[in-house]
Amino acid sequence: MPILRDFERRLGSVVEGFFATAFRSGLQPVELAKRILREMDAGKTVGVKGVWAPNHFVFTLSPEDAERFQQAEGALIGELKQVVREAAAERGWGLVGPPEIEFRTDESIGRGQFGCEATLVEGEPEPAPAPSAKGGEAAIVLLEDGHEVKTYRLNKKSVAIGRLPECDIVISDPGASRRHATITLDDGGEYVLTDLGSTNGTIVNDEPVGEHVLSDGDRITIGNTVLEFRRE
């Protein structure tokens, strides 16, 4: 599953050697990500404005696993939040608030075991995808050697692109800045790409841009990463 594969790749690059050693035995981070996907599917509800999935997850861990996770807790939580966002976007589910992840310790739980409680906690809404004013949904497609690798639905008014785990489109590319660019849906229904003063700049169709109104088929280059804007 691409979401889980991307989760492991991103987390591994963030915590580098620590990921390979500290998580070699016991509870594996990907098991938490898998559980999030199951809980979102099992706990989703149908509302007037669409399907809403759980956004708040409390994991109960053994003392040993909790101690191991603590050393990389910030990175792990950031990547698990991204799993929630990606799963919701891919399946067309809405979130009633931003993703939240908590870790708690339970002395009665053995190493490698864990519990998970998933709930819907209201906050600033992250809505389900909706057609834009100009007709049809829009998406960013990650390309590698001309092949489509991953699709990101533009289901928010503003989408952040960069290396930070909390970005909506996370690029593990040394040529990308931590927060590199945004794509914003303006009041006229146009999607506008804006460079955020990145170190290496943003290229659209082989031309450097500061701000650019995207058209179907536009290719965005950030470092060595190529993204294509699609509009249905």
Side-chain angles (χ1 to χ4, degrees):
M1 184 177 294
I3 290 177
L4 297 176
R5 189 165 59 244
D6 290 345
F7 164 77
E8 290 191 291
R9 175 182 53 78
R10 290 196 309 265
L11 185 59
S13 66
V14 170
V15 298
E16 297 177 347
F18 174 78
F19 180 79
T21 55
F23 295 149
R24 186 171 295 161
S25 61
L27 180 62
Q28 299 298 305
V30 71
E31 294 302 319
L32 305 183
K34 288 179 181 178
R35 183 64 173 270
I36 282 177
L37 297 180
R38 290 200 299 269
E39 293 291 343
M40 290 180 73
D41 185 54
K44 64 183 184 295
T45 61
V46 179
V48 177
K49 295 183 179 180
V51 178
W52 302 91
N55 63 307
H56 188 272
F57 302 85
V58 178
F59 287 101
T60 307
L61 311 176
S62 70
E64 183 176 351
D65 287 323
E67 183 178 358
R68 289 163 54 240
F69 281 14
Q70 186 175 16
Q71 299 176 63
E73 186 172 305
L76 181 55
I77 286 177
E79 293 303 335
L80 290 173
K81 287 181 179 180
Q82 187 66 12
V83 167
V84 178
R85 295 188 188 98
E86 290 181 358
E90 184 178 277
R91 294 160 173 77
W93 299 334
L95 301 174
V96 297
E100 295 294 337
I101 308 291
E102 291 184 40
F103 290 143
R104 297 178 183 173
T105 304
D106 187 335
E107 299 284 344
S108 66
I109 294 179
R111 175 184 173 186
Q113 300 178 328
F114 69 98
C116 178
E117 180 182 354
T119 55
L120 285 80
V121 177
E122 291 189 15
E124 184 179 349
E126 296 194 15
S132 68
K134 288 269 179 171
E137 295 182 357
I140 290 293
V141 178
L142 173 64
L143 301 176
E144 288 184 5
D145 298 324
H147 299 291
E148 298 182 10
V149 175
K150 186 171 184 178
T151 298
Y152 300 89
R153 296 289 176 184
L154 301 182
N155 60 354
K156 297 169 59 179
K157 187 172 178 62
S158 183
V159 171
I161 306 172
R163 288 190 294 108
L164 285 176
E166 54 263 36
C167 287
D168 302 288
I169 300 176
V170 178
I171 299 178
S172 300
D173 187 315
S177 295
R178 290 162 62 82
R179 281 181 57 86
H180 195 101
T182 58
I183 297 176
T184 303
L185 178 63
D186 68 16
D187 293 337
E190 300 282 8
Y191 286 89
V192 181
L193 172 70
T194 303
D195 183 87
L196 300 177
S198 63
T199 301
N200 297 309
T202 301
I203 307 295
V204 177
N205 301 331
D206 299 322
E207 295 290 336
V209 300
E211 188 171 279
H212 176 82
V213 177
L214 292 167
S215 299
D216 183 46
D218 277 352
R219 290 205 171 182
I220 305 163
T221 302
I222 296 175
N224 292 316
T225 301
V226 178
L227 306 167
E228 185 169 291
F229 176 74
R230 302 276 180 85
R231 193 154 194 178
E232 299 175 359

